Amino acid sequence: LRRRLHGRRRRGRVLVMNPYAFLSQLESDQLHAAIRRAEQNTSAEIRVLIVHEPAPDPVAEAHARFRALRMHKTKRRNAVLILVAPASNTFAIVGDVGIHALCGDDFWRSVRDAMTPHLKARHYTEALLLAIGRAGELLAQHFPPGDDDRNELPDAIVEE
């Protein structure tokens, strides 16, 4: 599910965005609110991670960070991680085994394809809002909230 965010070539080199500049353009309050809204309709968890170093293989990086953030420890194994690595112009969306068993790769490809034009246009908040919204819709269908449901993971954007 790897995609280039954006990049212009100058003398054979791809210009990359500074992760701090990327973060300064994000509307973190909107993203945090979108995660909270999405999670109100599901027992699943959604996290957004912005990594400061390049991630040439963003899917492998997302899986490693997924485990490091202990996202695989949710009660129903139904967490989603959206990883963006501005320094390498890459991103990935990964779900835990409970989610992947129900939706497969096609769903994640559709989210990736919908995000890509926004990212290329440097509409970073819109791209992430779209991903959070689509993931939330899918999760609500397959993982409705239960009586014992609680927020297992923080909703804030993670920077590493």
Side-chain angles (χ1 to χ4, degrees):
L1 300 179
R2 181 179 169 192
R3 276 291 213 219
R4 290 243 176 246
L5 297 180
H6 66 277
R8 294 177 299 181
R9 293 200 175 271
R10 180 181 293 163
R11 296 186 188 150
R13 299 181 70 190
V14 175
L15 300 178
V16 295
M17 175 172 269
N18 178 314
Y20 300 101
F22 176 88
L23 286 164
S24 72
Q25 292 181 27
L26 286 181
E27 297 292 335
S28 295
D29 291 341
Q30 286 183 30
L31 295 171
H32 187 243
I35 292 169
R36 275 196 318 259
R37 273 192 312 275
E39 289 182 356
Q40 285 176 349
N41 300 315
T42 181
S43 63
E45 300 291 328
I46 301 170
R47 295 194 88 178
V48 174
L49 170 64
I50 311 300
V51 295
H52 295 274
E53 67 274 355
D57 185 348
V59 175
E61 185 70 24
H63 283 292
R65 300 293 179 119
F66 192 95
R67 291 195 65 76
L69 292 168
R70 303 183 53 79
M71 293 180 67
H72 63 291
K73 297 289 186 177
T74 59
K75 182 177 177 180
R76 295 187 178 115
R77 299 292 307 262
N78 59 356
V80 171
L81 177 63
I82 303 166
L83 176 137
V84 181
S88 57
N89 295 330
T90 55
F91 71 97
I93 307 164
V94 296
D96 207 344
V97 295
I99 294 170
H100 190 71
L102 293 171
C103 69
D105 288 333
D106 289 341
F107 175 76
W108 303 118
R109 274 192 213 83
S110 73
V111 175
R112 176 201 65 198
D113 293 346
M115 285 177 68
T116 299
H118 294 287
L119 292 169
K120 285 183 177 180
R122 298 183 180 190
H123 300 147
Y124 307 122
T125 300
E126 291 81 358
L128 290 170
L129 288 172
L130 183 135
I132 293 164
R134 293 231 178 135
E137 290 168 7
L138 174 79
L139 296 169
Q141 290 174 16
H142 296 291
F143 298 98
D147 293 335
D148 63 341
D149 189 41
R150 63 180 178 82
N151 194 4
E152 297 179 74
L153 300 171
D155 297 335
I157 307 302
V158 180
E159 296 178 50
E160 292 184 351

